[in-house]
mmCIF file of all heavy atoms in Angstrom:
data_model
loop_
_atom_site.group_PDB
_atom_site.id
_atom_site.type_symbol
_atom_site.label_atom_id
_atom_site.label_comp_id
_atom_site.label_asym_id
_atom_site.label_seq_id
_atom_site.Cartn_x
_atom_site.Cartn_y
_atom_site.Cartn_z
ATOM 1 N N GLN Y 1138 54.673 3.127 -33.000
ATOM 2 C CA GLN Y 1138 55.980 2.476 -33.180
ATOM 3 C C GLN Y 1138 57.038 3.463 -33.673
ATOM 4 O O GLN Y 1138 58.154 3.479 -33.166
ATOM 5 C CB GLN Y 1138 55.862 1.320 -34.189
ATOM 6 C CG GLN Y 1138 55.214 0.076 -33.626
ATOM 7 C CD GLN Y 1138 55.110 -1.031 -34.666
ATOM 8 O OE1 GLN Y 1138 54.971 -0.787 -35.860
ATOM 9 N NE2 GLN Y 1138 55.178 -2.273 -34.193
ATOM 10 N N SER Y 1260 56.784 -2.789 -10.754
ATOM 11 C CA SER Y 1260 55.858 -2.114 -9.857
ATOM 12 C C SER Y 1260 55.205 -3.041 -8.843
ATOM 13 O O SER Y 1260 54.681 -4.100 -9.197
ATOM 14 C CB SER Y 1260 54.742 -1.431 -10.653
ATOM 15 O OG SER Y 1260 53.732 -0.991 -9.793
ATOM 16 N N ALA Y 1292 49.287 -1.234 -17.554
ATOM 17 C CA ALA Y 1292 49.607 -0.175 -16.632
ATOM 18 C C ALA Y 1292 48.390 0.693 -16.435
ATOM 19 O O ALA Y 1292 47.923 1.377 -17.309
ATOM 20 C CB ALA Y 1292 50.749 0.642 -17.157
ATOM 21 N N ASN Y 1358 40.386 -30.071 -15.242
ATOM 22 C CA ASN Y 1358 40.503 -31.474 -15.661
ATOM 23 C C ASN Y 1358 39.200 -31.981 -16.284
ATOM 24 O O ASN Y 1358 39.216 -32.627 -17.324
ATOM 25 C CB ASN Y 1358 40.852 -32.363 -14.463
ATOM 26 C CG ASN Y 1358 42.305 -32.157 -14.023
ATOM 27 O OD1 ASN Y 1358 43.135 -31.729 -14.816
ATOM 28 N ND2 ASN Y 1358 42.593 -32.455 -12.765
ATOM 29 N N PRO Y 1441 40.841 -11.197 -36.402
ATOM 30 C CA PRO Y 1441 39.707 -11.268 -35.491
ATOM 31 C C PRO Y 1441 39.812 -12.417 -34.481
ATOM 32 O O PRO Y 1441 40.286 -13.507 -34.822
ATOM 33 C CB PRO Y 1441 38.507 -11.500 -36.410
ATOM 34 C CG PRO Y 1441 38.933 -11.040 -37.741
ATOM 35 C CD PRO Y 1441 40.421 -11.234 -37.818
ATOM 36 N N ARG Y 1457 33.398 -15.044 -3.593
ATOM 37 C CA ARG Y 1457 33.356 -14.362 -2.287
ATOM 38 C C ARG Y 1457 33.856 -15.266 -1.174
ATOM 39 O O ARG Y 1457 34.518 -14.815 -0.244
ATOM 40 C CB ARG Y 1457 31.934 -13.908 -1.978
ATOM 41 C CG ARG Y 1457 31.577 -12.647 -2.712
ATOM 42 C CD ARG Y 1457 30.564 -11.869 -1.927
ATOM 43 N NE ARG Y 1457 31.007 -11.558 -0.570
ATOM 44 C CZ ARG Y 1457 30.553 -10.538 0.114
ATOM 45 N NH1 ARG Y 1457 29.686 -9.727 -0.434
ATOM 46 N NH2 ARG Y 1457 30.955 -10.335 1.347
ATOM 47 N N ARG Y 1523 5.629 -9.638 -15.555
ATOM 48 C CA ARG Y 1523 4.640 -10.547 -14.992
ATOM 49 C C ARG Y 1523 5.327 -11.697 -14.244
ATOM 50 O O ARG Y 1523 4.954 -12.036 -13.126
ATOM 51 C CB ARG Y 1523 3.766 -11.112 -16.124
ATOM 52 C CG ARG Y 1523 2.356 -11.464 -15.716
ATOM 53 C CD ARG Y 1523 1.548 -11.867 -16.942
ATOM 54 N NE ARG Y 1523 2.021 -13.129 -17.496
ATOM 55 C CZ ARG Y 1523 1.598 -14.336 -17.068
ATOM 56 N NH1 ARG Y 1523 0.704 -14.411 -16.088
ATOM 57 N NH2 ARG Y 1523 2.051 -15.429 -17.607
ATOM 58 N N LEU Y 1604 13.450 -5.111 -2.071
ATOM 59 C CA LEU Y 1604 13.924 -3.739 -2.003
ATOM 60 C C LEU Y 1604 12.802 -2.830 -2.517
ATOM 61 O O LEU Y 1604 11.848 -3.333 -3.112
ATOM 62 C CB LEU Y 1604 15.183 -3.593 -2.860
ATOM 63 C CG LEU Y 1604 16.394 -4.398 -2.365
ATOM 64 C CD1 LEU Y 1604 17.566 -4.301 -3.345
ATOM 65 C CD2 LEU Y 1604 16.828 -3.908 -0.984
ATOM 66 N N PRO Y 1605 12.899 -1.508 -2.293
ATOM 67 C CA PRO Y 1605 11.774 -0.625 -2.686
ATOM 68 C C PRO Y 1605 11.296 -0.819 -4.127
ATOM 69 O O PRO Y 1605 10.088 -0.760 -4.377
ATOM 70 C CB PRO Y 1605 12.377 0.776 -2.500
ATOM 71 C CG PRO Y 1605 13.440 0.603 -1.451
ATOM 72 C CD PRO Y 1605 13.960 -0.791 -1.612
#
Side-chain angles (χ1 to χ4, degrees):
Q1138 283 179 329
S1260 169
N1358 287 336
R1457 281 209 56 156
R1523 210 174 68 86
L1604 295 174

